[in-house]
Amino acid sequence: MKIIKLKTNEEVTKYLAELLLQQIESNPKSVLGLATGSTPTLAYHQLVKKYLVDQTDFSQVITFNLDEYIGIEPENKNSYRSFMNENLFNYININQENTFLPSTDDQNYAKYDDLIKEYGGIDLQILGIGENGHIGFNEPGTKESTLTHKVTLAENTRENNSIFFDSLEDVPKEAVTMGITSILNAKKIILAATKSNKAEIIKRLINNDISENLPASFLKKHPNVIILVDEDSGKYIEEMI
Ligand code: PGA
């Protein structure tokens, strides 16, 4: 894992946007693995800016999101489909038919992995990290062998995500997420973490061995991973390249 430590949240999100743009420039038909949450939001807004100012072309880009809640309709403002539309897809020239999220209707969840394979696999996967070490919604205890599957959300995850909802009771208890193997199948992976509430888990990720208790630690098995931190989330670690 290569660790890049920048000063601020803004610098991390600009860097993340830059890596996404480089990927699209090197291959306009790139397959991107995208994440929701507060960490990548500003990076998505940077992409919108690049589209508006420099006419960056997203028309051939394919995207696969990591996860989606069960029990709320795609049209609901709290669905991850709405999040992606509102923060990125509605404001760039991407073909909406090429933007995929895991289906919550069809119980054959791993069909999503087949679809990703049909498009040639994910070229660049973006990840955040939960305070408990989850990636996607792969909570502690998730096996390395998992493909896209249904999960019960950890209480800590529901509490953290309740900032987007009117109340904690409104946060769904279940979701569908790409699994650990689905994520490790990506050719390149960037995990971004900002703010001090992520400092402890970033320290554990860097210092601890691979374990199901810390799902992000499986990234140590992948040959091409960048961990992007700011001074707050990276306060206990040194940059390592
Ligand atoms: P956040 O979520 O970007 O909102 O901190 C990250 C995650 O839970 O994976």
Side-chain angles (χ1 to χ4, degrees):
M1 292 195 303
K2 174 173 160 178
I3 298 162
I4 299 178
K5 189 167 168 178
L6 301 171
K7 274 204 167 65
T8 61
N9 180 28
E10 284 69 30
E11 284 181 30
V12 166
T13 51
K14 274 200 177 135
Y15 198 95
L16 185 57
E18 204 43 56
L19 292 174
L20 283 162
L21 288 164
Q22 278 171 17
Q23 174 64 44
I24 295 164
E25 269 158 32
S26 73
N27 176 12
K29 296 182 177 173
S30 287
V31 180
L32 304 178
L34 300 180
T36 50
S38 39
T39 312
T41 307
L42 287 177
Y44 297 150
H45 296 175
Q46 291 286 330
L47 298 187
V48 171
K49 202 160 144 196
K50 284 294 281 185
Y51 170 68
L52 295 174
V53 176
D54 298 329
Q55 286 83 48
T56 298
D57 183 19
F58 295 89
S59 62
Q60 298 180 85
V61 170
I62 314 286
T63 66
F64 286 93
N65 262 79
L66 279 168
D67 40 25
E68 180 58 284
Y69 289 120
I70 290 178
I72 49 182
E73 297 301 313
E75 301 74 32
N76 183 303
K77 69 176 172 53
N78 286 314
S79 73
Y80 282 166
R81 162 57 73 188
S82 293
F83 177 96
M84 291 309 301
N85 285 349
E86 283 306 313
N87 286 291
L88 182 62
F89 299 151
N90 284 352
Y91 305 105
I92 57 175
N93 69 333
I94 199 162
N95 179 350
Q96 291 268 354
E97 288 180 3
N98 291 339
T99 66
F100 299 98
L101 285 91
S103 164
T104 56
D105 305 331
D106 182 350
Q107 304 213 343
N108 187 359
Y109 301 111
K111 267 200 334 220
Y112 197 58
D113 295 86
D114 295 336
L115 189 64
I116 294 171
K117 220 181 267 170
E118 277 171 36
Y119 280 91
I122 290 173
D123 294 307
L124 177 60
Q125 174 70 55
I126 303 302
L127 298 174
I129 184 169
E131 285 175 10
N132 63 0
H134 74 202
I135 46 176
F137 275 138
N138 294 288
E139 305 286 21
T142 306
K143 298 219 171 322
E144 185 189 350
S145 59
T146 44
L147 294 172
T148 304
H149 63 295
K150 179 175 165 177
V151 292
T152 299
L153 299 178
E155 270 317 293
N156 169 270
T157 300
R158 292 185 65 243
E159 279 158 24
N160 285 334
N161 290 6
S162 67
I163 54 164
F164 298 106
F165 291 79
D166 293 335
S167 71
L168 179 60
E169 291 77 66
D170 292 341
V171 184
K173 294 196 159 72
E174 294 179 322
V176 178
T177 182
M178 278 166 61
I180 301 292
T181 291
S182 323
I183 292 170
L184 293 180
N185 280 341
K187 292 164 197 141
K188 282 176 274 177
I189 299 174
I190 304 170
L191 182 150
T194 58
K195 307 191 184 146
S196 54
N197 65 322
K198 301 290 171 68
E200 198 61 43
I201 194 65
I202 289 293
K203 181 174 83 179
R204 282 180 55 208
L205 170 61
I206 303 308
N207 295 332
N208 290 15
D209 291 336
I210 296 171
S211 138
E212 284 174 13
N213 293 330
L214 204 174
S217 66
F218 287 116
L219 298 175
K220 294 184 179 192
K221 295 197 165 189
H222 192 283
N224 199 340
V225 176
I226 293 176
I227 309 286
L228 262 183
V229 295
D230 64 2
E231 282 188 342
D232 290 336
S233 62
K235 66 183 168 191
Y236 301 130
I237 57 158
E238 299 297 323
E239 181 167 65
M240 293 186 266
I241 297 189

